[in-house]
Amino acid sequence: MIGIMKGMLQARTTGQQKEVARMLRMAGVPRFDVIRTADGVSAGLEIYGALSFDVLAEIVDFLRVGENARRRKARWSAMRSGVDGMWVSGDVVFLKGVKKEDAVNFIQSLVEFGYDVGVLMDEYEKSKKITI
């Protein structure tokens, strides 16, 4: 079984999930199941059958391109938000000097990019920053 942990590549959108399923079918994988956490979040795949490293690399490359695009969009959104006291460095958005209401609104806006708002809110509460 290949598991997905926090911060790792995920097929977050329905389109990505369908494309990964297509890739697996094209590779001749007879059966695979999506593993979900207790709250219904996709946590990985259980694959029945052989999967070549080439196909695995193709899937990872496909997901990585989507993940990089998602991060770029989130960073761009943070940089353009105009929220006083917020600043971006790499994949980290610093919210220490931001009013809580503005920080919460910004974090909630990241749901459109596929981010888990609960995880981001936990990180914000602990450190006054989020990693995108």
Side-chain angles (χ1 to χ4, degrees):
M1 179 161 99
I2 299 174
I4 304 291
M5 298 182 302
K6 180 183 180 238
M8 298 185 94
L9 292 175
Q10 292 180 343
R12 297 175 190 276
T13 67
T14 304
Q16 287 175 330
Q17 292 167 8
K18 286 180 180 179
E19 181 61 17
V20 169
R22 185 196 68 75
M23 291 173 161
L24 290 171
R25 281 192 304 274
M26 294 296 292
V29 174
R31 185 175 145 224
F32 54 91
D33 295 321
V34 176
I35 306 302
R36 298 195 181 278
T37 60
D39 56 355
V41 176
S42 174
L45 293 171
E46 190 163 356
I47 298 172
Y48 305 91
L51 183 63
S52 74
F53 287 117
D54 288 340
V55 173
L56 184 58
E58 184 181 342
I59 291 169
V60 168
D61 289 346
F62 167 73
L63 293 175
R64 186 170 286 131
V65 167
E67 182 68 12
N68 288 341
R70 181 177 80 101
R71 286 182 174 172
R72 275 194 305 276
K73 288 177 186 176
R75 279 194 299 268
W76 182 246
S77 177
M79 289 185 284
R80 295 202 52 186
S81 69
V83 174
D84 288 336
M86 179 169 65
W87 57 285
V88 179
S89 178
D91 287 343
V92 178
V93 178
F94 293 91
L95 299 161
K96 190 171 185 169
V98 176
K99 289 190 282 184
K100 184 168 183 167
E101 178 184 346
D102 290 339
V104 168
N105 287 339
F106 171 71
I107 291 168
Q108 289 176 343
S109 75
L110 294 176
V111 75
E112 76 178 84
F113 301 119
Y115 286 92
D116 183 335
V117 173
V119 170
L120 293 177
M121 284 303 298
D122 287 344
E123 184 181 3
Y124 166 70
E125 292 294 334
K126 292 175 186 170
S127 63
K128 301 301 182 219
K129 65 180 177 63
I130 58 172
T131 305
I132 53 175

